[in-house]
Amino acid sequence: MTDILTDIRTHLNPQEPERSLTIAQAKKTAPVGQAVLKLVETSLDGDKAEDVVVIDLEGKSAIADYLVIASGSSQRHVSAMADHLQRSLKKQ
């Protein structure tokens, strides 16, 4: 009976294996992140985005260095900003 309980506890609470650094973490990617951030800010500024907020996630998230939140005057405005930003990022 105790073996079954031990197996259940191990299954429910597995210890996370140690992870090695990813390639992005091993290489310093800050200049790339800052360049993309500058491109995003320039694009949003050119499209007259409202209430732009940049949240620094560096060291807090493995998937992003920054989170950018912006609003627009209408749904059409926001859609156009997103489309322009997507095109700018694809060109880079």
Side-chain angles (χ1 to χ4, degrees), residues 25 54 57 65 78 80:
Q25 291 170 333
V54 177
L57 298 176
D65 291 333
V78 173

Side-chain angles (χ1 to χ4, degrees), residues 17-90:
E18 291 185 27
R19 298 179 183 172
S20 60
L21 290 177
T22 64
I23 294 171
Q25 291 170 333
K27 295 179 180 179
K28 184 127 178 136
T29 59
V32 173
Q34 290 175 355
V36 172
L37 177 63
K38 184 69 175 166
L39 177 71
V40 169
E41 288 178 324
T42 302
S43 177
L44 292 174
D45 187 48
D47 288 336
K48 306 220 185 314
E50 301 169 358
D51 303 324
V52 178
V53 177
V54 177
I55 301 171
D56 185 7
L57 298 176
E58 195 170 353
K60 297 178 181 104
S61 173
I63 61 169
D65 291 333
Y66 302 98
L67 173 65
V68 180
I69 303 170
S71 61
S73 57
S74 66
Q75 180 62 39
R76 180 177 239 167
H77 183 209
V78 173
S79 294
M81 287 189 301
D83 186 51
H84 294 158
L85 181 57
Q86 185 177 22
R87 289 180 189 193
S88 297
L89 289 171
K90 282 184 180 180

